[in-house]
PDB file of all heavy atoms in Angstrom:
ATOM      1  N   ARG A   7       0.802  -1.203  -0.018  1.00 94.00           N
ATOM      2  CA  ARG A   7       0.032   0.013  -0.007  1.00 94.00           C
ATOM      3  C   ARG A   7       0.883   1.216  -0.035  1.00 94.00           C
ATOM      4  O   ARG A   7       0.339   2.390  -0.493  1.00 94.00           O
ATOM      5  CB  ARG A   7      -0.899  -0.014   1.220  1.00 94.00           C
ATOM      6  CG  ARG A   7      -2.015  -1.089   1.202  1.00 94.00           C
ATOM      7  CD  ARG A   7      -2.771  -1.095   2.454  1.00 94.00           C
ATOM      8  NE  ARG A   7      -1.925  -1.708   3.605  1.00 94.00           N
ATOM      9  CZ  ARG A   7      -2.426  -1.857   4.825  1.00 94.00           C
ATOM     10  NH1 ARG A   7      -3.622  -1.531   5.144  1.00 94.00           N
ATOM     11  NH2 ARG A   7      -1.578  -2.322   5.813  1.00 94.00           N
ATOM     12  N   HIS A   8       2.096   1.149   0.472  1.00 93.00           N
ATOM     13  CA  HIS A   8       2.943   2.340   0.688  1.00 93.00           C
ATOM     14  C   HIS A   8       3.282   2.850  -0.719  1.00 93.00           C
ATOM     15  O   HIS A   8       3.715   4.093  -0.868  1.00 93.00           O
ATOM     16  CB  HIS A   8       4.195   2.071   1.432  1.00 93.00           C
ATOM     17  CG  HIS A   8       4.956   0.810   0.937  1.00 93.00           C
ATOM     18  ND1 HIS A   8       4.705  -0.442   1.354  1.00 93.00           N
ATOM     19  CD2 HIS A   8       5.869   0.697  -0.023  1.00 93.00           C
ATOM     20  CE1 HIS A   8       5.485  -1.200   0.745  1.00 93.00           C
ATOM     21  NE2 HIS A   8       6.243  -0.591  -0.031  1.00 93.00           N
ATOM     22  N   TYR A   9       3.227   2.150  -1.813  1.00 94.00           N
ATOM     23  CA  TYR A   9       3.591   2.697  -3.155  1.00 94.00           C
ATOM     24  C   TYR A   9       2.300   2.625  -4.060  1.00 94.00           C
ATOM     25  O   TYR A   9       2.382   2.627  -5.322  1.00 94.00           O
ATOM     26  CB  TYR A   9       4.779   2.000  -3.806  1.00 94.00           C
ATOM     27  CG  TYR A   9       4.678   0.495  -4.074  1.00 94.00           C
ATOM     28  CD1 TYR A   9       3.990   0.038  -5.285  1.00 94.00           C
ATOM     29  CD2 TYR A   9       5.200  -0.434  -3.270  1.00 94.00           C
ATOM     30  CE1 TYR A   9       4.019  -1.303  -5.617  1.00 94.00           C
ATOM     31  CE2 TYR A   9       5.143  -1.852  -3.543  1.00 94.00           C
ATOM     32  CZ  TYR A   9       4.535  -2.207  -4.609  1.00 94.00           C
ATOM     33  OH  TYR A   9       4.490  -3.607  -5.042  1.00 94.00           O
ATOM     34  N   GLY A  10       1.128   2.623  -3.413  1.00 92.00           N
ATOM     35  CA  GLY A  10      -0.084   2.671  -4.303  1.00 92.00           C
ATOM     36  C   GLY A  10      -0.578   1.522  -4.957  1.00 92.00           C
ATOM     37  O   GLY A  10      -1.620   1.491  -5.653  1.00 92.00           O
ATOM     38  N   SER A  11       0.005   0.287  -4.521  1.00 93.00           N
ATOM     39  CA  SER A  11      -0.584  -0.930  -5.162  1.00 93.00           C
ATOM     40  C   SER A  11      -1.892  -1.305  -4.548  1.00 93.00           C
ATOM     41  O   SER A  11      -2.160  -1.134  -3.416  1.00 93.00           O
ATOM     42  CB  SER A  11       0.447  -2.084  -4.884  1.00 93.00           C
ATOM     43  OG  SER A  11      -0.066  -3.263  -5.278  1.00 93.00           O
ATOM     44  N   THR A  12      -2.677  -2.014  -5.431  1.00 93.00           N
ATOM     45  CA  THR A  12      -4.053  -2.421  -5.015  1.00 93.00           C
ATOM     46  C   THR A  12      -3.975  -3.824  -4.462  1.00 93.00           C
ATOM     47  O   THR A  12      -4.997  -4.454  -4.060  1.00 93.00           O
ATOM     48  CB  THR A  12      -4.999  -2.315  -6.065  1.00 93.00           C
ATOM     49  OG1 THR A  12      -4.587  -3.042  -7.211  1.00 93.00           O
ATOM     50  CG2 THR A  12      -5.231  -0.886  -6.520  1.00 93.00           C
ATOM     51  N   ALA A  13      -2.767  -4.476  -4.526  1.00 95.00           N
ATOM     52  CA  ALA A  13      -2.728  -5.897  -3.980  1.00 95.00           C
ATOM     53  C   ALA A  13      -3.154  -5.928  -2.487  1.00 95.00           C
ATOM     54  O   ALA A  13      -2.575  -5.047  -1.767  1.00 95.00           O
ATOM     55  CB  ALA A  13      -1.303  -6.382  -4.236  1.00 95.00           C
ATOM     56  N   PRO A  14      -3.905  -6.745  -2.024  1.00 96.00           N
ATOM     57  CA  PRO A  14      -4.304  -6.904  -0.742  1.00 96.00           C
ATOM     58  C   PRO A  14      -3.157  -7.204   0.325  1.00 96.00           C
ATOM     59  O   PRO A  14      -2.375  -8.023  -0.004  1.00 96.00           O
ATOM     60  CB  PRO A  14      -5.402  -7.915  -0.615  1.00 96.00           C
ATOM     61  CG  PRO A  14      -5.123  -8.759  -1.891  1.00 96.00           C
ATOM     62  CD  PRO A  14      -4.566  -7.808  -2.831  1.00 96.00           C
ATOM     63  N   PRO A  15      -3.075  -6.484   1.343  1.00 97.00           N
ATOM     64  CA  PRO A  15      -2.088  -6.909   2.387  1.00 97.00           C
ATOM     65  C   PRO A  15      -2.315  -8.170   3.088  1.00 97.00           C
ATOM     66  O   PRO A  15      -3.497  -8.558   3.226  1.00 97.00           O
ATOM     67  CB  PRO A  15      -2.007  -5.631   3.312  1.00 97.00           C
ATOM     68  CG  PRO A  15      -3.473  -5.188   3.310  1.00 97.00           C
ATOM     69  CD  PRO A  15      -3.859  -5.440   1.894  1.00 97.00           C
ATOM     70  N   ALA A  16      -1.295  -8.848   3.507  1.00 97.00           N
ATOM     71  CA  ALA A  16      -1.394 -10.095   4.269  1.00 97.00           C
ATOM     72  C   ALA A  16      -0.312 -10.457   5.097  1.00 97.00           C
ATOM     73  O   ALA A  16       0.793  -9.948   4.761  1.00 97.00           O
ATOM     74  CB  ALA A  16      -1.798 -11.258   3.335  1.00 97.00           C
ATOM     75  N   ALA A  17      -0.559 -11.232   6.097  1.00 97.00           N
ATOM     76  CA  ALA A  17       0.597 -11.689   6.972  1.00 97.00           C
ATOM     77  C   ALA A  17       0.552 -13.173   7.235  1.00 97.00           C
ATOM     78  O   ALA A  17      -0.592 -13.692   7.429  1.00 97.00           O
ATOM     79  CB  ALA A  17       0.535 -10.947   8.331  1.00 97.00           C
ATOM     80  N   PHE A  18       1.666 -13.866   7.009  1.00 96.00           N
ATOM     81  CA  PHE A  18       1.738 -15.304   7.218  1.00 96.00           C
ATOM     82  C   PHE A  18       2.687 -15.629   8.398  1.00 96.00           C
ATOM     83  O   PHE A  18       3.770 -14.946   8.403  1.00 96.00           O
ATOM     84  CB  PHE A  18       2.248 -15.924   5.927  1.00 96.00           C
ATOM     85  CG  PHE A  18       2.700 -17.274   6.085  1.00 96.00           C
ATOM     86  CD1 PHE A  18       1.793 -18.409   6.526  1.00 96.00           C
ATOM     87  CD2 PHE A  18       3.941 -17.684   5.661  1.00 96.00           C
ATOM     88  CE1 PHE A  18       2.219 -19.690   6.648  1.00 96.00           C
ATOM     89  CE2 PHE A  18       4.408 -19.058   5.823  1.00 96.00           C
ATOM     90  CZ  PHE A  18       3.595 -20.042   6.318  1.00 96.00           C
ATOM     91  N   TYR A  19       2.315 -16.571   9.266  1.00 97.00           N
ATOM     92  CA  TYR A  19       3.081 -16.869  10.426  1.00 97.00           C
ATOM     93  C   TYR A  19       3.537 -18.279  10.412  1.00 97.00           C
ATOM     94  O   TYR A  19       2.828 -19.099   9.967  1.00 97.00           O
ATOM     95  CB  TYR A  19       2.278 -16.492  11.734  1.00 97.00           C
ATOM     96  CG  TYR A  19       1.946 -15.091  11.916  1.00 97.00           C
ATOM     97  CD1 TYR A  19       0.862 -14.507  11.309  1.00 97.00           C
ATOM     98  CD2 TYR A  19       2.768 -14.324  12.763  1.00 97.00           C
ATOM     99  CE1 TYR A  19       0.569 -13.177  11.487  1.00 97.00           C
ATOM    100  CE2 TYR A  19       2.460 -12.920  12.971  1.00 97.00           C
ATOM    101  CZ  TYR A  19       1.387 -12.412  12.314  1.00 97.00           C
ATOM    102  OH  TYR A  19       1.075 -11.123  12.435  1.00 97.00           O
ATOM    103  N   LEU A  20       4.626 -18.561  10.957  1.00 96.00           N
ATOM    104  CA  LEU A  20       5.088 -19.956  11.102  1.00 96.00           C
ATOM    105  C   LEU A  20       5.791 -20.173  12.383  1.00 96.00           C
ATOM    106  O   LEU A  20       6.545 -19.266  12.852  1.00 96.00           O
ATOM    107  CB  LEU A  20       6.193 -20.105   9.965  1.00 96.00           C
ATOM    108  CG  LEU A  20       6.835 -21.569   9.751  1.00 96.00           C
ATOM    109  CD1 LEU A  20       5.679 -22.547   9.285  1.00 96.00           C
ATOM    110  CD2 LEU A  20       8.080 -21.444   8.818  1.00 96.00           C
ATOM    111  N   TYR A  21       5.609 -21.322  13.026  1.00 95.00           N
ATOM    112  CA  TYR A  21       6.230 -21.590  14.372  1.00 95.00           C
ATOM    113  C   TYR A  21       7.328 -22.541  14.030  1.00 95.00           C
ATOM    114  O   TYR A  21       7.332 -23.411  13.246  1.00 95.00           O
ATOM    115  CB  TYR A  21       5.202 -22.195  15.286  1.00 95.00           C
ATOM    116  CG  TYR A  21       5.857 -22.784  16.537  1.00 95.00           C
ATOM    117  CD1 TYR A  21       6.144 -21.841  17.546  1.00 95.00           C
ATOM    118  CD2 TYR A  21       6.184 -24.072  16.702  1.00 95.00           C
ATOM    119  CE1 TYR A  21       6.784 -22.381  18.735  1.00 95.00           C
ATOM    120  CE2 TYR A  21       6.748 -24.475  17.784  1.00 95.00           C
ATOM    121  CZ  TYR A  21       7.134 -23.654  18.855  1.00 95.00           C
ATOM    122  OH  TYR A  21       7.780 -24.163  19.926  1.00 95.00           O
ATOM    123  N   SER A  22       8.441 -22.392  14.864  1.00 94.00           N
ATOM    124  CA  SER A  22       9.518 -23.319  14.925  1.00 94.00           C
ATOM    125  C   SER A  22      10.058 -23.479  16.312  1.00 94.00           C
ATOM    126  O   SER A  22       9.874 -22.706  17.146  1.00 94.00           O
ATOM    127  CB  SER A  22      10.639 -22.926  13.918  1.00 94.00           C
ATOM    128  OG  SER A  22      11.278 -21.786  14.488  1.00 94.00           O
ATOM    129  N   ALA A  23      10.616 -24.676  16.551  1.00 91.00           N
ATOM    130  CA  ALA A  23      11.157 -24.930  17.881  1.00 91.00           C
ATOM    131  C   ALA A  23      12.573 -24.249  18.193  1.00 91.00           C
ATOM    132  O   ALA A  23      12.877 -24.095  19.313  1.00 91.00           O
ATOM    133  CB  ALA A  23      11.318 -26.354  18.072  1.00 91.00           C
ATOM    134  N   ASP A  24      13.144 -23.642  17.148  1.00 92.00           N
ATOM    135  CA  ASP A  24      14.425 -23.086  17.336  1.00 92.00           C
ATOM    136  C   ASP A  24      14.554 -22.003  16.196  1.00 92.00           C
ATOM    137  O   ASP A  24      13.659 -21.777  15.465  1.00 92.00           O
ATOM    138  CB  ASP A  24      15.621 -24.020  17.250  1.00 92.00           C
ATOM    139  CG  ASP A  24      15.560 -24.992  16.021  1.00 92.00           C
ATOM    140  OD1 ASP A  24      15.514 -24.407  14.885  1.00 92.00           O
ATOM    141  OD2 ASP A  24      15.660 -26.245  16.229  1.00 92.00           O
ATOM    142  N   ARG A  25      15.717 -21.441  16.122  1.00 92.00           N
ATOM    143  CA  ARG A  25      15.964 -20.238  15.239  1.00 92.00           C
ATOM    144  C   ARG A  25      16.961 -20.565  14.170  1.00 92.00           C
ATOM    145  O   ARG A  25      17.732 -19.726  13.646  1.00 92.00           O
ATOM    146  CB  ARG A  25      16.405 -19.041  15.955  1.00 92.00           C
ATOM    147  CG  ARG A  25      16.018 -17.657  15.234  1.00 92.00           C
ATOM    148  CD  ARG A  25      16.713 -16.473  15.786  1.00 92.00           C
ATOM    149  NE  ARG A  25      16.351 -15.247  15.167  1.00 92.00           N
ATOM    150  CZ  ARG A  25      16.972 -14.117  15.209  1.00 92.00           C
ATOM    151  NH1 ARG A  25      18.007 -14.018  15.805  1.00 92.00           N
ATOM    152  NH2 ARG A  25      16.513 -13.107  14.576  1.00 92.00           N
ATOM    153  N   THR A  26      17.073 -21.891  13.751  1.00 93.00           N
ATOM    154  CA  THR A  26      18.094 -22.210  12.717  1.00 93.00           C
ATOM    155  C   THR A  26      17.586 -21.707  11.282  1.00 93.00           C
ATOM    156  O   THR A  26      16.481 -21.309  11.081  1.00 93.00           O
ATOM    157  CB  THR A  26      18.159 -23.732  12.726  1.00 93.00           C
ATOM    158  OG1 THR A  26      16.925 -24.375  12.454  1.00 93.00           O
ATOM    159  CG2 THR A  26      18.758 -24.350  13.941  1.00 93.00           C
ATOM    160  N   ALA A  27      18.591 -21.611  10.494  1.00 93.00           N
ATOM    161  CA  ALA A  27      18.381 -20.968   9.213  1.00 93.00           C
ATOM    162  C   ALA A  27      17.278 -21.673   8.345  1.00 93.00           C
ATOM    163  O   ALA A  27      16.602 -21.111   7.486  1.00 93.00           O
ATOM    164  CB  ALA A  27      19.678 -20.896   8.384  1.00 93.00           C
ATOM    165  N   GLU A  28      17.191 -23.021   8.618  1.00 94.00           N
ATOM    166  CA  GLU A  28      16.180 -23.800   7.817  1.00 94.00           C
ATOM    167  C   GLU A  28      14.825 -23.300   7.950  1.00 94.00           C
ATOM    168  O   GLU A  28      13.927 -23.329   7.046  1.00 94.00           O
ATOM    169  CB  GLU A  28      16.311 -25.191   8.101  1.00 94.00           C
ATOM    170  CG  GLU A  28      15.988 -25.553   9.512  1.00 94.00           C
ATOM    171  CD  GLU A  28      16.055 -27.112   9.863  1.00 94.00           C
ATOM    172  OE1 GLU A  28      15.294 -27.855   9.266  1.00 94.00           O
ATOM    173  OE2 GLU A  28      16.896 -27.449  10.749  1.00 94.00           O
ATOM    174  N   HIS A  29      14.456 -22.740   9.067  1.00 95.00           N
ATOM    175  CA  HIS A  29      13.116 -22.296   9.353  1.00 95.00           C
ATOM    176  C   HIS A  29      12.875 -20.977   8.632  1.00 95.00           C
ATOM    177  O   HIS A  29      11.798 -20.600   8.047  1.00 95.00           O
ATOM    178  CB  HIS A  29      12.885 -22.130  10.842  1.00 95.00           C
ATOM    179  CG  HIS A  29      13.031 -23.410  11.605  1.00 95.00           C
ATOM    180  ND1 HIS A  29      12.303 -24.569  11.289  1.00 95.00           N
ATOM    181  CD2 HIS A  29      13.863 -23.771  12.622  1.00 95.00           C
ATOM    182  CE1 HIS A  29      12.669 -25.482  12.079  1.00 95.00           C
ATOM    183  NE2 HIS A  29      13.605 -25.109  12.865  1.00 95.00           N
ATOM    184  N   ALA A  30      13.951 -20.018   8.635  1.00 94.00           N
ATOM    185  CA  ALA A  30      13.909 -18.830   7.842  1.00 94.00           C
ATOM    186  C   ALA A  30      13.650 -19.096   6.307  1.00 94.00           C
ATOM    187  O   ALA A  30      12.908 -18.438   5.591  1.00 94.00           O
ATOM    188  CB  ALA A  30      15.112 -18.100   8.073  1.00 94.00           C
ATOM    189  N   HIS A  31      14.335 -20.199   5.842  1.00 94.00           N
ATOM    190  CA  HIS A  31      14.200 -20.606   4.434  1.00 94.00           C
ATOM    191  C   HIS A  31      12.763 -21.100   4.139  1.00 94.00           C
ATOM    192  O   HIS A  31      12.176 -20.852   3.127  1.00 94.00           O
ATOM    193  CB  HIS A  31      15.261 -21.559   4.123  1.00 94.00           C
ATOM    194  CG  HIS A  31      16.531 -20.875   4.047  1.00 94.00           C
ATOM    195  ND1 HIS A  31      17.643 -21.395   3.270  1.00 94.00           N
ATOM    196  CD2 HIS A  31      17.166 -19.805   4.683  1.00 94.00           C
ATOM    197  CE1 HIS A  31      18.716 -20.557   3.384  1.00 94.00           C
ATOM    198  NE2 HIS A  31      18.490 -19.690   4.310  1.00 94.00           N
ATOM    199  N   ALA A  32      12.287 -21.875   5.154  1.00 94.00           N
ATOM    200  CA  ALA A  32      10.897 -22.447   5.050  1.00 94.00           C
ATOM    201  C   ALA A  32       9.957 -21.428   4.953  1.00 94.00           C
ATOM    202  O   ALA A  32       8.981 -21.513   4.236  1.00 94.00           O
ATOM    203  CB  ALA A  32      10.676 -23.425   6.055  1.00 94.00           C
ATOM    204  N   LEU A  33      10.103 -20.337   5.761  1.00 96.00           N
ATOM    205  CA  LEU A  33       9.100 -19.221   5.841  1.00 96.00           C
ATOM    206  C   LEU A  33       9.048 -18.596   4.434  1.00 96.00           C
ATOM    207  O   LEU A  33       7.979 -18.174   4.045  1.00 96.00           O
ATOM    208  CB  LEU A  33       9.542 -18.225   6.883  1.00 96.00           C
ATOM    209  CG  LEU A  33       8.744 -16.971   6.951  1.00 96.00           C
ATOM    210  CD1 LEU A  33       7.447 -17.175   7.666  1.00 96.00           C
ATOM    211  CD2 LEU A  33       9.570 -15.772   7.694  1.00 96.00           C
ATOM    212  N   LEU A  34      10.122 -18.445   3.795  1.00 96.00           N
ATOM    213  CA  LEU A  34      10.256 -17.695   2.546  1.00 96.00           C
ATOM    214  C   LEU A  34      10.351 -18.607   1.245  1.00 96.00           C
ATOM    215  O   LEU A  34      10.710 -18.100   0.246  1.00 96.00           O
ATOM    216  CB  LEU A  34      11.387 -16.634   2.657  1.00 96.00           C
ATOM    217  CG  LEU A  34      11.297 -15.676   3.752  1.00 96.00           C
ATOM    218  CD1 LEU A  34      12.671 -14.970   3.911  1.00 96.00           C
ATOM    219  CD2 LEU A  34      10.183 -14.666   3.543  1.00 96.00           C
ATOM    220  N   LYS A  35      10.068 -19.799   1.410  1.00 93.00           N
ATOM    221  CA  LYS A  35      10.134 -20.778   0.246  1.00 93.00           C
ATOM    222  C   LYS A  35       9.216 -20.317  -0.881  1.00 93.00           C
ATOM    223  O   LYS A  35       8.082 -19.969  -0.710  1.00 93.00           O
ATOM    224  CB  LYS A  35       9.724 -22.154   0.760  1.00 93.00           C
ATOM    225  CG  LYS A  35       9.876 -23.164  -0.297  1.00 93.00           C
ATOM    226  CD  LYS A  35       9.358 -24.534   0.200  1.00 93.00           C
ATOM    227  CE  LYS A  35       9.503 -25.599  -0.837  1.00 93.00           C
ATOM    228  NZ  LYS A  35       9.092 -26.941  -0.343  1.00 93.00           N
ATOM    229  N   GLY A  36       9.882 -20.189  -2.084  1.00 93.00           N
ATOM    230  CA  GLY A  36       9.070 -19.761  -3.160  1.00 93.00           C
ATOM    231  C   GLY A  36       9.086 -18.294  -3.427  1.00 93.00           C
ATOM    232  O   GLY A  36       8.578 -17.705  -4.399  1.00 93.00           O
ATOM    233  N   CYS A  37       9.686 -17.514  -2.478  1.00 95.00           N
ATOM    234  CA  CYS A  37       9.704 -16.030  -2.649  1.00 95.00           C
ATOM    235  C   CYS A  37      10.861 -15.646  -3.588  1.00 95.00           C
ATOM    236  O   CYS A  37      11.901 -16.212  -3.680  1.00 95.00           O
ATOM    237  CB  CYS A  37      10.016 -15.299  -1.299  1.00 95.00           C
ATOM    238  SG  CYS A  37       8.524 -15.492  -0.071  1.00 95.00           S
ATOM    239  N   SER A  38      10.512 -14.587  -4.237  1.00 94.00           N
ATOM    240  CA  SER A  38      11.566 -14.009  -5.254  1.00 94.00           C
ATOM    241  C   SER A  38      11.407 -12.458  -5.255  1.00 94.00           C
ATOM    242  O   SER A  38      10.339 -12.042  -5.080  1.00 94.00           O
ATOM    243  CB  SER A  38      11.497 -14.519  -6.679  1.00 94.00           C
ATOM    244  OG  SER A  38      10.206 -14.299  -7.207  1.00 94.00           O
ATOM    245  N   GLY A  39      12.446 -11.709  -5.431  1.00 95.00           N
ATOM    246  CA  GLY A  39      12.360 -10.270  -5.439  1.00 95.00           C
ATOM    247  C   GLY A  39      13.266  -9.620  -4.316  1.00 95.00           C
ATOM    248  O   GLY A  39      14.415  -9.821  -4.325  1.00 95.00           O
ATOM    249  N   HIS A  40      12.492  -8.952  -3.413  1.00 97.00           N
ATOM    250  CA  HIS A  40      13.240  -8.198  -2.345  1.00 97.00           C
ATOM    251  C   HIS A  40      12.834  -8.648  -0.962  1.00 97.00           C
ATOM    252  O   HIS A  40      11.491  -8.750  -0.793  1.00 97.00           O
ATOM    253  CB  HIS A  40      13.169  -6.740  -2.454  1.00 97.00           C
ATOM    254  CG  HIS A  40      13.967  -6.239  -3.754  1.00 97.00           C
ATOM    255  ND1 HIS A  40      13.231  -6.142  -5.011  1.00 97.00           N
ATOM    256  CD2 HIS A  40      15.153  -5.670  -3.950  1.00 97.00           C
ATOM    257  CE1 HIS A  40      14.105  -5.677  -5.891  1.00 97.00           C
ATOM    258  NE2 HIS A  40      15.182  -5.315  -5.256  1.00 97.00           N
ATOM    259  N   LEU A  41      13.631  -8.706  -0.072  1.00 97.00           N
ATOM    260  CA  LEU A  41      13.367  -9.092   1.300  1.00 97.00           C
ATOM    261  C   LEU A  41      13.748  -8.005   2.295  1.00 97.00           C
ATOM    262  O   LEU A  41      14.918  -7.647   2.347  1.00 97.00           O
ATOM    263  CB  LEU A  41      13.981 -10.396   1.760  1.00 97.00           C
ATOM    264  CG  LEU A  41      13.840 -10.742   3.193  1.00 97.00           C
ATOM    265  CD1 LEU A  41      12.369 -11.079   3.640  1.00 97.00           C
ATOM    266  CD2 LEU A  41      14.593 -11.989   3.536  1.00 97.00           C
ATOM    267  N   HIS A  42      12.769  -7.369   2.968  1.00 97.00           N
ATOM    268  CA  HIS A  42      13.135  -6.449   4.164  1.00 97.00           C
ATOM    269  C   HIS A  42      13.222  -7.245   5.283  1.00 97.00           C
ATOM    270  O   HIS A  42      12.378  -8.040   5.712  1.00 97.00           O
ATOM    271  CB  HIS A  42      11.910  -5.496   4.305  1.00 97.00           C
ATOM    272  CG  HIS A  42      11.638  -4.615   3.198  1.00 97.00           C
ATOM    273  ND1 HIS A  42      11.014  -4.972   1.970  1.00 97.00           N
ATOM    274  CD2 HIS A  42      11.915  -3.291   2.997  1.00 97.00           C
ATOM    275  CE1 HIS A  42      10.905  -3.992   1.187  1.00 97.00           C
ATOM    276  NE2 HIS A  42      11.484  -2.824   1.731  1.00 97.00           N
TER     277      HIS A  42
END
């Protein structure tokens, strides 16, 4: 919305038992472009 797009906003959550990198990768699986 900050740049005027009409794409609906959404939030996706994922639980993991620890903070290893594999969970970060699972969260963003299939993403492409830019990551804040």
Side-chain angles (χ1 to χ4, degrees):
R7 292 173 292 182
H8 52 270
Y9 63 86
S11 172
T12 57
F18 164 59
Y19 295 82
L20 182 72
Y21 172 81
S22 67
D24 52 52
R25 205 193 186 200
T26 54
E28 63 181 295
H29 302 302
H31 291 209
L33 176 77
L34 301 168
K35 183 179 181 181
C37 291
S38 61
H40 294 83
L41 172 63
H42 296 76

